[in-house]
Amino acid sequence: MKSAGLSSQKATYLHDLAAKAADGTVQLKMIGRRKDEEVIEELIQVKGIGVWTAQMFLIFSLGRPDVFPPDDLGIKVALRTSMAWPSCRPKAEAHALAAPWTPHSTFATWYLWRSLDLAKAKS
């Protein structure tokens, strides 16, 4: 794994994922049929996978349309710059702000990320 460019830590995470998939703790074969919350709960059992990583998996691997990652740094910066959102707001307030975007929160997330690219291009 090191020859493929993975750090020892990431190799440990992959071994843990493989072990948990092998013993049935994480059932990847059916994961795409589960609800978002169930996918997150299942994946965070793996060492090295947290809620943010599971949310990125939902967005980019499973193509889920209603995922809002309030802990994502890009989302925090985009909210702060494009919506004058103070950076110290609690996560619950970010969820409340994003509530009207349901069931299309992922698309709002993409637009927020894109707003950062557009801001960079203007400067």
Side-chain angles (χ1 to χ4, degrees):
M1 287 190 207
K2 286 188 178 188
S3 65
L6 291 176
S7 67
S8 296
Q9 192 70 24
K10 288 198 177 165
T12 300
Y13 298 159
L14 283 175
H15 282 289
D16 191 52
L17 174 60
K20 287 192 167 84
D23 71 14
T25 302
V26 175
Q27 298 179 7
L28 297 175
K29 186 175 182 181
M30 304 296 282
I31 204 160
R33 295 185 178 157
R34 295 209 167 107
K35 294 178 182 178
D36 293 351
E37 299 79 23
E38 294 171 343
V39 171
I40 291 170
E41 288 304 313
E42 186 149 346
L43 290 177
I44 64 172
Q45 296 177 77
V46 177
K47 184 176 183 173
I49 297 179
V51 172
W52 178 85
T53 304
Q55 289 170 327
M56 296 303 109
F57 179 78
L58 287 168
I59 292 171
F60 294 108
S61 295
L62 297 182
R64 297 294 173 89
D66 196 26
V67 179
F68 176 70
D71 291 326
D72 182 81
L73 181 59
I75 294 301
K76 289 178 180 183
V77 171
L79 288 174
R80 187 172 60 241
T81 57
S82 65
M83 302 180 81
W85 186 263
S87 59
C88 60
R89 287 271 175 95
K91 191 183 330 185
E93 288 186 33
H95 277 293
L97 175 74
W101 303 337
T102 295
H104 308 290
S105 296
T106 298
F107 303 105
T109 296
W110 287 337
Y111 280 112
L112 286 167
W113 283 328
R114 183 71 177 126
S115 73
L116 297 173
D117 295 335
L118 295 173
K120 284 181 192 174
K122 287 181 182 179
S123 54

